[in-house]
Amino acid sequence: MSLLSIRDLTLGIGGAEVLKGVSLDLAAGEIVGLVGESGSGKSMTGLSVLCLLPPGAVVSGRIELDGQDLTSLSEPQMRAVRGAQVGMVFQEPMTALDPLMTIGDQVAETLRIHRGLGRAAAREAAAAALARAGLPPDRFPLSRYPHELSGGQRQRVAIAIATALKPKVLIADEPTTALDVTTQAQILELLKGLAREDGCGLILITHDLAVVAETVDRVAIMRAGEIVEQGPVAALGALTHPYAQRLAKDAVLAETAPAPAPADGAPVVEATDVLRTYAPRRSAPWRRAEPFRAVDGVSLAVRPGETVGLVGESGSGKSTLLRAVLGLEALQGGAVSLDGRPFSPPSRGDARRLRRQVQAVFQDPYGSFDPRWRVADLVAEPLHLLDDPPTGAARRGRVAAVLEKVGLPADAIDRYPHQFSGGQRQRIAIARALITEPRLVVLDEAVSALDVTVRAQILALLADLSRELGVAYLFVTHDLGVVRAVCHRVLVMQAGRIVEEGETAQVFASPRHPYTQTLLAATPDLRRALAARGA
Amino acid sequence: MSVAASSSPAASRRATPALVLGGTITGLFVLAALGSYVWTPYPTAVLDVAHRLQPPSAAHWLGTDHFGRDVASMILVGARNSLAVAVVAAGVGLLLGTPLGLLAAARRGLADEAIMRGADLVFAFPSLLLAIMITAVAGPGAINAIIAIGVFNIPVFARVARGAALSLWSRDYVLAARVAGKGPGLISAQHILPNIASLLIVQGAIQFSMGVLAEAALSYVGLGAQPPTPSWGRMLNDAQTMIGFAPWLAIFPGLAIVVSVLGLNLLGDGLRDLLDPRLDRRR
């Protein structure tokens, strides 16, 4: 007898069919992974259980919790179910908490509403719930505010709220997507432990099969509003639906080492002892404060045609270092040189000539284009760096040529960025980076926001372009799987310093620094997880 | 590979009732001001003492004043003055304030501090008192009313432009433009200004309505357009001693001010709904 039973759930929003007959069962104490790409309807399935759908949504089908049909409940009845019987954890820990309420009050609020507890009793229960979520009151007093906590700690507060009432069903929608890999591993472990302890059913919604493979009992793979395949996690190696197979294949990035880089040649870019400090906030105007060293004496070099990975968690200083390499930040020490000429701090005469040799692709495929510009103008923007920028037909021809190179249709040139999918936008961004025929392209988490299948396509495109054009990449990422798939060498950065550096295969096989070992152990790996669970 | 077909975001926005009503009222206001050059029921420069202080009738729809001038005609001609002063004053603010705001956002640091503290300084003055001071020094008249109102519009636009521009400066597409070697001036002109234009237009409509109100206030205290040019504020002033026996003299110019300000505010709200991309996602 299943605890939660979803039968033939269909959902329409404004005429669009979002869910087409989804059926899913969840037993008490079971953990189900609901996996799909963006737009597959996985989040909407989770929200349907809570009846938290956007206005205009038309639902049919049955959602039974312990034999009670949730779709037939009125809004006040549903409110009693939410939180008490079904708990939810959302993706973004930054916005899921009220910034003006202490964490103790936020947890206590749920308890007071549903249990009718008094202030003192609610605080006591809240402290217990937070302790269970890994925030013991002696180290994390109830009087803390969300902004005083890290992303992982905030997610723990959200989990404490969701589990305070020991709900029968817990739904976690991409709970770790916004977190670093080491934090991700801890949060997944916490969710799994709490679900086992309370005997509640847990639905883990994610876009990455590798993330759930180590945690869940059963996997349901969604595509375009339908569950195409579901089964125990051990059967992931023997999927039958072609889409499910592709998803599983793309979750494991090809480990074939990239073609060896030409070893000769002076470095394209060379950074020596780069120091970037920020003035901290002083506690009082007369007190001196030590400047915060975001990048602390880092040296790196990228040779022509080489792909170098720069790995680190948020706050490690990798983005700051990247901006320094791009010549966008003033440095407090050290230098960046390009082809042996000083690039940062910039010398007047060379700046334009050098800058066209280094271009960049940024993380967010939605935010990196001016929404009012057409693709033709967006891609042509770096031509500004040429001494004699082409105009009219010549300019259009150059844009068309580079768009073809990144695999976009010819009619893309007159469209606006919002008319493209995330993966296509990232192709436009690559086209923009390549139009000045640079020798180095800096990729700042360029594939992190993409679905796994699109991610695999973009990585393959980058590898092709590198072979064809001899362009070097500096690949900044937190995803070790990506590094292993495409990088010749890898640099591991922690707290502003590079703690380990070496050939990719060597670093992955025998990491020397403890931090690298922690990172590697925490990185979700579908094959390793399957091997561990199948055994 | 096919390109995902999706409609432009502009297509999903619709004109709200506020926009239609505000646009209609504003349109009538502008039409009254421009039309008065071509035709008014009676000439406003001619006194007709025989028909003075007549209540509204078929011959004089809104009555006549103590000189026998037709109130309807005076309101139509008075609209010219309100319109001209408010439009030019809003334009002064837009053209001077926006570049200051863009500069503050682009340069940050000392330039930002100087510009924004300057804006604070202007805001700290009671606006009507400063307007009175300016007109007292330079003499009353429409031009000085424009200057007095326009000065207060500069910091308003500077703040709106700076606030919106600051959030855009952290966008990746600005970073991409910097990687493309563009300087702060070029980025402000090509990326920042077009993306904050809708906010500035909305603010323009709001400042326009405040300009109408401010012009009425200045001419009410005798510092706006000088006689014999009709103006709504002075019509109110003239009417106040006669309000007991000729209430139409105060009611109709008052209504003209209220309706035109209301219309411009509705237009501003409607434009905000139509143009502001930040509200677009909520629907």
Side-chain angles (χ1 to χ4, degrees):
Chain A
M1 160 83 206
S2 63
L3 172 69
L4 178 74
S5 155
I6 300 173
R7 282 281 159 273
D8 297 323
L9 180 69
T10 64
L11 170 66
I13 299 174
E17 257 199 323
V18 181
L19 297 178
K20 305 167 193 162
V22 169
S23 295
L24 185 70
D25 286 290
L26 181 71
E30 189 185 32
I31 306 179
V32 170
L34 192 55
V35 185
E37 306 200 319
S38 43
S40 63
K42 56 190 196 300
S43 290
M44 281 301 159
T45 307
L47 291 174
S48 299
V49 175
L50 286 161
C51 292
L52 284 176
L53 293 166
V58 184
V59 186
S60 73
R62 288 174 75 79
I63 303 172
E64 281 183 10
L65 179 66
D66 259 352
Q68 184 185 29
D69 188 2
L70 296 183
T71 54
S72 66
L73 294 186
S74 67
E75 176 61 22
Q77 288 170 316
M78 199 57 222
R79 254 179 256 150
V81 172
R82 279 180 215 137
Q85 297 187 51
V86 184
M88 180 116 189
V89 179
F90 294 96
Q91 170 174 354
E92 197 48 74
M94 302 297 158
T95 52
L97 301 176
D98 184 338
L100 295 180
M101 266 173 93
T102 66
I103 59 172
D105 285 345
Q106 303 203 31
V107 181
E109 187 185 36
T110 319
L111 293 158
R112 292 180 62 188
I113 291 170
H114 288 284
R115 290 262 171 84
L117 294 183
R119 257 170 212 285
R123 284 186 72 81
E124 214 165 283
L130 282 166
R132 242 161 57 95
L135 299 173
D138 50 328
R139 282 177 49 222
F140 298 95
L142 297 183
S143 55
R144 290 276 181 99
Y145 284 92
H147 71 262
E148 298 175 300
L149 302 176
S150 72
Q153 288 163 349
R154 284 182 224 197
Q155 202 61 301
R156 286 173 187 272
V157 176
I159 291 169
I161 294 171
T163 57
L165 293 160
K166 303 211 165 43
K168 293 173 188 161
V169 174
L170 184 61
I171 299 171
D173 188 358
E174 303 267 10
T176 61
T177 308
L179 304 175
D180 287 323
V181 280
T182 50
T183 320
Q184 164 169 290
Q186 292 161 6
I187 294 291
L188 287 174
E189 201 53 43
L190 171 69
L191 280 171
K192 188 176 176 177
L194 287 177
R196 295 275 187 256
E197 199 178 312
D198 294 350
C200 74
L202 171 63
I203 298 180
L204 201 56
I205 299 173
T206 179
H207 66 281
D208 193 347
L209 260 179
V211 167
V212 293
E214 293 181 44
T215 314
V216 303
D217 305 315
R218 218 148 49 76
V219 178
I221 294 172
M222 281 195 82
R223 187 197 188 184
E226 288 173 292
I227 291 183
V228 295
E229 185 155 3
Q230 55 179 316
V233 81
L236 270 181
L239 292 166
T240 53
H241 193 280
Y243 174 75
Q245 284 172 343
R246 187 160 63 106
L247 201 64
K249 182 174 142 284
D250 290 335
V252 183
L253 288 163
E255 231 170 287
T256 49
D264 58 328
V268 183
V269 71
E270 191 166 20
T272 36
D273 297 324
V274 170
L275 178 67
R276 178 78 175 99
T277 60
Y278 291 103
R281 208 160 20 157
R282 298 178 185 189
S283 52
W286 57 88
R287 291 231 174 92
R288 274 184 60 91
E290 275 299 300
F292 172 69
R293 294 171 167 245
V295 176
D296 192 1
V298 166
S299 301
L300 66 85
V302 181
R303 291 192 292 272
E306 193 183 31
T307 300
V308 175
L310 179 64
V311 181
E313 305 201 316
S314 48
S316 62
K318 60 186 196 301
S319 292
T320 312
L321 177 60
L322 168 146
R323 285 174 194 222
V325 170
L326 287 171
L328 297 177
E329 295 249 352
L331 302 180
Q332 276 71 48
V336 177
S337 67
L338 210 64
D339 276 339
R341 289 159 170 273
F343 179 51
S344 177
S347 60
R348 270 270 166 220
D350 276 347
R352 281 161 62 87
R353 199 186 63 76
L354 290 177
R355 197 179 275 284
R356 76 182 77 131
Q357 304 286 350
V358 188
Q359 287 294 308
V361 176
F362 299 103
Q363 171 174 7
D364 183 3
Y366 297 88
S368 57
F369 302 107
D370 189 327
R372 289 168 193 274
W373 284 30
R374 287 174 196 273
V375 169
D377 296 320
L378 288 167
V379 172
E381 191 169 30
L383 291 178
H384 176 72
L385 286 164
L386 303 188
D387 298 321
D388 183 20
T391 52
R395 182 174 126 118
R396 220 179 138 78
R398 250 181 114 151
V399 172
V402 74
L403 284 179
E404 194 193 332
K405 231 176 245 168
V406 299
L408 283 171
D411 66 346
I413 194 165
D414 286 321
R415 290 171 182 264
Y416 287 96
H418 68 81
Q419 294 171 301
F420 295 90
S421 68
Q424 288 171 328
R425 285 183 216 207
Q426 221 51 335
R427 284 173 195 265
I428 300 172
I430 294 168
R432 173 168 66 185
L434 291 176
I435 198 163
T436 57
E437 292 164 5
R439 300 186 56 207
L440 174 71
V441 173
V442 176
L443 301 141
D444 184 8
E445 302 276 9
V447 295
S448 305
L450 303 176
D451 286 325
V452 284
T453 51
V454 181
R455 183 178 71 180
Q457 290 162 7
I458 295 289
L459 288 176
L461 171 71
L462 287 170
D464 287 346
L465 290 169
S466 168
R467 264 193 298 278
E468 190 186 326
L469 308 171
V471 60
Y473 300 124
L474 178 59
F475 218 113
V476 178
T477 181
H478 67 275
D479 188 342
L480 285 166
V482 171
V483 170
R484 172 151 48 181
V486 297
C487 294
H488 299 111
R489 279 193 304 126
V490 59
L491 310 170
V492 181
M493 199 166 177
Q494 184 195 20
R497 291 168 180 276
I498 288 183
V499 296
E500 182 154 1
E501 169 171 12
E503 299 293 320
T504 307
Q506 188 194 333
V507 171
F508 274 78
S510 52
R512 287 191 312 276
H513 195 275
Y515 179 69
T516 317
Q517 292 163 0
T518 318
L519 270 185
L520 275 172
T523 301
D525 185 327
L526 187 58
R527 257 184 261 169
R528 190 179 62 203
L530 289 182
R533 302 193 62 136
Chain B
M1 181 180 300
S2 72
V3 173
S6 77
S7 59
S8 124
S12 63
R13 303 176 195 157
R14 277 185 300 113
T16 55
L19 183 71
V20 174
L21 187 60
T24 310
I25 293 173
T26 308
L28 289 175
F29 176 34
V30 174
L31 194 70
L34 297 180
S36 69
Y37 284 102
V38 183
W39 175 84
T40 52
Y42 294 86
T44 55
V46 177
L47 310 185
D48 181 10
V49 186
H51 293 105
R52 68 200 196 94
L53 292 177
Q54 294 203 343
S57 63
H60 296 279
W61 295 343
L62 306 181
T64 60
D65 71 356
H66 52 296
F67 293 124
R69 291 177 296 185
D70 180 51
V71 171
S73 305
M74 289 186 59
I75 286 177
L76 289 181
V77 178
R80 284 181 204 170
N81 204 40
S82 288
L83 183 76
V85 170
V87 163
V88 178
V92 165
L94 187 72
L95 292 182
L96 296 180
T98 308
L100 284 174
L102 289 175
L103 178 73
R107 295 294 295 272
R108 308 296 298 271
L110 206 60
D112 188 14
E113 282 297 316
I115 290 169
M116 293 334 282
R117 295 302 78 79
D120 289 346
L121 196 70
V122 177
F123 271 124
F125 274 96
S127 53
L128 198 62
L129 277 187
L130 189 79
I132 289 170
M133 200 178 82
I134 290 175
T135 45
V137 172
I143 301 292
N144 291 325
I146 287 171
I147 294 171
I149 300 167
V151 164
F152 283 97
N153 282 335
I154 294 172
V156 172
F157 285 98
R159 277 190 176 177
V160 169
R162 174 182 175 272
L166 273 184
S167 70
L168 292 184
W169 270 98
S170 63
R171 296 285 174 89
D172 275 353
Y173 62 78
V174 170
L175 207 56
R178 291 178 65 199
V179 172
K182 290 185 174 170
L186 209 50
I187 291 175
S188 290
Q190 293 186 340
H191 289 291
I192 308 284
L193 187 59
N195 280 296
I196 65 170
S198 58
L199 278 177
L200 293 172
I201 291 169
V202 171
Q203 194 63 42
I206 292 166
Q207 293 311 114
F208 188 8
S209 80
M210 292 181 63
V212 170
L213 213 52
E215 192 278 333
L218 280 182
S219 50
Y220 179 82
V221 295
L223 298 172
Q226 293 303 293
T229 313
S231 103
W232 294 349
R234 216 183 45 258
M235 287 169 75
L236 276 179
N237 189 6
D238 290 346
Q240 70 186 3
T241 52
M242 294 173 272
I243 201 158
F245 53 91
W248 60 89
L249 289 182
I251 288 171
F252 294 115
L255 264 182
I257 294 169
V258 168
V259 170
S260 58
V261 169
L262 180 73
L264 284 165
N265 273 321
L266 286 175
L267 181 69
D269 282 351
L271 283 175
R272 192 202 316 269
D273 291 347
L274 191 72
L275 296 175
D276 191 344
R278 282 177 302 181
L279 293 168
D280 202 39
R281 274 177 221 128
R282 246 182 257 165
R283 301 197 193 156

